Amino acid sequence: MNYSNLKDIDVAGKTVLIRVDMNVPLNDGVITDDTRIRASLPSIEYCLERGAGVILMVHLGRPKEGVLKPEDNVLPIAKRLSELLDQNIEIADNWRDVKPTPKAGQVVMLQNVRVNVGEKKNDPELGQAYAALCDVFVFDAFGAAHRAQASTHAVAQFAPVACAGLLLSAELDALSQATEHPKPPVVAIVGGSKVSTKLTILESLSQKVDQLIVGGGIANTFLMAKGHNVGKSLVEADLVDEAKKIIAAIEAKGGSVPLPTDVVVATSFSTDAQAIIKDISEVGDDDMILDIGPDSQQVLAGIIQGAGTVVWNGPVGVFEFDQFAAGSKALAEAIAHSDAFSIAGGGDTLAAIAKFGVTDQISYISTGGGAFLEFLEGKELPAVAVLQK
């Protein structure tokens, strides 16, 4: 990909506007996971160390444009970043009336950009207003790269200089390594509740990978496609034919969709539900499949161990409940101990990686969810495309 990188730009003495992705989970106003904030630090620190003043654009949640509710205020993000950078970070609420002018080495944060009228519609006037704040615009929010919005797209069209941040560049390099020239064999793990939400990525991967491991509710639809009873499990019966097509497509090129031969079931979905291991042929009408069984764990771990490249999006069971977490844990540990280049992305995937303590053993952990999937599908990411132009 051809685009300017932050390291190619002289930012000394300049005002740098950085669009970051710090959309962190909150519980009663308290940040429960600051991974995205810490992932954004390299570009910020790079600019500060070179004498730039930095303005940050961030979003939080899904607010209604024109209305700033307390839960949408970016104050918790500013407080956490203040701790990490050891400086007080002020929030510019009225930045259109009073232009923020950070001094060299200083950081200012704009209020939640998703509240600005015209943000989601990629309003050119709003993009111009953002661009007027800076000498250099840096896009570093890979998690929002698949959205053409004023703070991700329009601003880049009007900024004096627009470039990719260090996090974005690292994301694109890792994804390119996994998709454009991957070391074979290539194994993809796609978990989740519904085939419908990941149908296009499953279809795309069926043309690119050697083994496609499916998990969660997605696996149930594939099991039904193979004629197995899945009881009361989450399943999309209307997509059985699509699952059959995906299986046929990957088998036609010599690959496979290895489905579980044993599963962990329960008769209710709860934290105290009793977990029972059954052969797939023994699943009853009242059973809910909530994880893969030990035999399947061993087989799939073996496939991962022999892989050259592993792409992981989504756990294979209800890992949030300990009695149904063994399958996801086994695959996470197999990836961690594999010599393969591994890249993982998606919110549930990151939570599983953290729970099983393998963060440092994954080659690259993507901060993106939707953008991660769309890149794997081969779709153009608007916020990256505008940088290339």
Side-chain angles (χ1 to χ4, degrees), residues 220-300:
N220 297 334
T221 302
F222 278 76
L223 286 168
M224 181 178 280
K226 283 292 188 179
H228 295 293
N229 179 24
V230 296
K232 297 190 300 183
S233 306
L234 180 63
V235 68
E236 291 177 289
D238 58 326
L239 289 178
V240 162
D241 287 342
E242 298 299 328
K244 289 180 179 179
K245 291 177 183 177
I246 291 168
I247 293 172
I250 194 169
E251 289 181 347
K253 58 186 287 294
S256 66
V257 181
L259 295 171
T261 56
D262 61 335
V263 291
V264 183
V265 303
T267 54
S268 65
F269 185 86
S270 62
T271 55
D272 58 356
Q274 182 182 0
I276 303 170
I277 299 172
K278 288 189 175 184
D279 185 274
I280 190 62
S281 63
E282 298 174 344
V283 175
D285 292 341
D286 291 331
D287 288 330
M288 300 172 66
I289 300 173
L290 301 177
D291 195 13
I292 60 174
D295 290 344
S296 299
Q297 294 169 26
Q298 188 173 356
V299 170
L300 297 181

Side-chain angles (χ1 to χ4, degrees), residues 46-299:
Y46 180 90
C47 293
L48 296 178
E49 290 167 0
R50 283 155 182 78
V54 172
I55 301 173
L56 298 178
M57 291 195 291
V58 303
H59 75 275
L60 181 64
R62 299 178 181 275
K64 181 179 178 181
E65 288 189 2
V67 180
L68 179 64
K69 295 182 179 179
E71 61 268 25
D72 300 321
N73 196 306
V74 298
L75 183 59
I77 298 174
K79 287 183 176 179
R80 179 58 183 140
L81 190 60
S82 295
E83 296 170 352
L84 292 170
L85 294 177
D86 194 26
Q87 66 167 274
N88 181 48
I89 296 175
E90 295 184 358
I91 298 173
D93 289 296
N94 301 314
W95 59 271
R96 297 188 85 158
D97 298 323
V98 182
K99 181 179 178 179
T101 54
K103 299 176 182 178
Q106 182 183 11
V107 178
V108 175
M109 183 177 292
L110 302 189
Q111 187 53 264
N112 194 336
V113 295
R114 290 269 173 90
V115 174
N116 297 330
V117 176
E119 168 65 19
K120 294 179 183 178
K121 292 184 178 180
N122 198 25
D123 178 54
E125 184 179 342
L126 180 57
Q128 284 181 301
Y130 289 143
L133 300 177
C134 68
D135 301 303
V136 177
F137 169 66
V138 178
F139 182 69
D140 210 27
F142 177 72
H146 60 311
R147 304 188 188 281
Q149 299 181 339
S151 68
T152 66
H153 189 272
V155 59
Q157 295 177 305
F158 298 106
V161 176
C163 64
L166 305 185
L167 174 60
L168 178 67
S169 297
E171 294 269 8
L172 296 176
D173 288 347
L175 281 163
S176 296
Q177 182 177 341
T179 58
E180 294 177 7
H181 304 288
K183 180 182 178 181
V186 182
V187 177
I189 304 166
V190 180
S193 59
K194 295 182 178 181
V195 172
S196 56
T197 60
K198 295 186 178 179
L199 180 59
T200 53
I201 183 64
L202 291 168
E203 291 172 338
S204 178
L205 288 174
S206 71
Q207 303 298 321
K208 301 176 181 177
V209 304
D210 299 292
Q211 269 102 22
L212 176 59
I213 298 172
V214 290
I218 292 175
N220 297 334
T221 302
F222 278 76
L223 286 168
M224 181 178 280
K226 283 292 188 179
H228 295 293
N229 179 24
V230 296
K232 297 190 300 183
S233 306
L234 180 63
V235 68
E236 291 177 289
D238 58 326
L239 289 178
V240 162
D241 287 342
E242 298 299 328
K244 289 180 179 179
K245 291 177 183 177
I246 291 168
I247 293 172
I250 194 169
E251 289 181 347
K253 58 186 287 294
S256 66
V257 181
L259 295 171
T261 56
D262 61 335
V263 291
V264 183
V265 303
T267 54
S268 65
F269 185 86
S270 62
T271 55
D272 58 356
Q274 182 182 0
I276 303 170
I277 299 172
K278 288 189 175 184
D279 185 274
I280 190 62
S281 63
E282 298 174 344
V283 175
D285 292 341
D286 291 331
D287 288 330
M288 300 172 66
I289 300 173
L290 301 177
D291 195 13
I292 60 174
D295 290 344
S296 299
Q297 294 169 26
Q298 188 173 356
V299 170

